Amino acid sequence: KAAAYLIKQFEKAGLKPYGEEGGYLQGYPAKKGLPPNITYVQTANVVGFLDNNADRTIIIGAHYDHLGKGDQGSSLKANSVGEIHNGADDNASGTAGLVELAKYYAGNNITEKHNFLFIAFSGEELGLMGSKFYADNPTIDLESVNCMFNMDMIGRYRADKGVTIGGFGTSSFWEENALEIANEVGLNYNIDSSGVGPSDHTSFYLKDIPVMFLFTGGHQQYHKPTDDADLINANGE
């Protein structure tokens, strides 16, 4: 249902389907569980392309999976199997950012200097499986990718904690421009230079692609059924 919703949003924005077989979906089998109880579930990334007839492309991504009904083994609430984990912050907030940016860049009546590839990843909670699958099976030439921009848990911005700008050391461009932009819009921030972390940008950094990762921090509702929409700071996002 979440993938179907995202397809509708990508269609409304006018993105070209850039999954497989002319559609938005890029299917793959995701492994779940621990030995000896390993199973596979069929899932899919949702991929849309905004073509500005440019030579270079920026990938913008977020994961749209979460913990389902708590049967994946990573819930932090005891005995929570059967309880719905909505994941409003992790990572409906990042997915909302993905959709909003798709709408913005598709509708701003500006031919940008880059194309944009928007990817909603599945399987992140199972070990970055969706982004790894895409990076290993890209639907565009990764040599044409300028950078990858990832949003994971951006819905709980607090001025005292700020936003973490991850991947800061993967490109001199970030060092020269990112903090200036953050200051212009009045964001408090902290910096993480590493291109490797517990989210989907890692899969692209390992392909030698510069990355940026935005994250507004952990909280007591992380990986629990209580991570719900009423706790989202919409203005902060």
Side-chain angles (χ1 to χ4, degrees):
K1 290 181 178 179
Y5 174 84
L6 286 166
I7 288 173
K8 287 183 179 179
Q9 297 301 314
F10 282 9
E11 288 176 335
K12 286 181 181 179
L15 303 184
K16 295 181 179 180
Y18 255 62
E20 55 193 9
E21 299 179 357
Y24 289 96
L25 297 181
Q26 181 192 42
Y28 67 95
K31 182 172 68 174
K32 62 184 294 188
L34 297 172
N37 300 312
I38 293 177
T39 59
Y40 287 84
V41 57
Q42 189 66 22
T43 186
N45 298 321
V46 185
V47 190
F49 188 66
L50 178 59
D51 189 355
N52 286 316
N53 294 312
D55 294 330
R56 308 286 292 171
T57 296
I58 292 173
I59 296 176
I60 301 178
H63 76 89
Y64 74 98
D65 65 300
H66 193 47
L67 307 186
K69 292 187 176 181
D71 61 349
Q72 296 180 9
S74 53
S75 176
L76 294 180
K77 180 185 177 184
N79 303 314
S80 63
V81 174
E83 295 187 47
I84 295 173
H85 294 60
N86 284 318
D89 188 28
D90 184 14
N91 188 32
S93 65
T95 306
L98 181 75
V99 170
E100 288 300 318
L101 288 173
K103 290 178 180 178
Y104 173 79
Y105 282 112
N108 65 356
N109 296 316
I110 297 173
T111 302
E112 303 285 352
K113 296 178 181 179
H114 295 80
N115 310 312
F116 291 94
L117 186 73
F118 295 91
I119 311 178
F121 300 107
S122 185
E124 192 269 356
E125 301 288 8
L126 295 174
L128 314 186
M129 290 189 180
S131 55
K132 184 179 187 302
F133 186 85
Y134 187 88
D136 290 339
N137 303 273
T139 58
I140 64 171
D141 182 3
L142 292 186
E143 292 293 326
S144 70
V145 174
N146 196 38
C147 61
M148 189 275 178
F149 182 83
N150 181 34
M151 296 168 288
D152 191 353
M153 296 178 64
I154 58 171
R156 300 285 290 272
Y157 177 77
R158 286 173 39 184
D160 59 334
K161 292 176 63 178
V163 57
T164 296
I165 303 174
F168 192 76
T170 67
S171 171
S172 60
F173 183 86
W174 304 149
E175 298 176 13
E176 296 168 4
N177 295 277
L179 301 189
E180 180 181 346
I181 294 170
N183 289 326
E184 284 179 2
V185 298
L187 281 176
N188 289 340
Y189 55 83
N190 52 77
I191 297 167
D192 181 355
S193 294
S194 177
V196 175
S199 192
D200 292 309
H201 57 289
T202 298
S203 301
F204 294 88
Y205 179 67
L206 295 177
K207 298 290 184 180
D208 296 322
I209 294 172
V211 295
M212 176 172 278
F213 170 47
L214 295 186
F215 171 61
T216 54
H219 44 73
Q220 291 184 344
Q221 293 77 33
Y222 174 72
H223 276 204
K224 295 179 181 177
T226 48
D227 180 9
D228 281 332
D230 62 318
L231 298 174
I232 294 295
N233 175 3
N235 289 333
E237 175 157 2

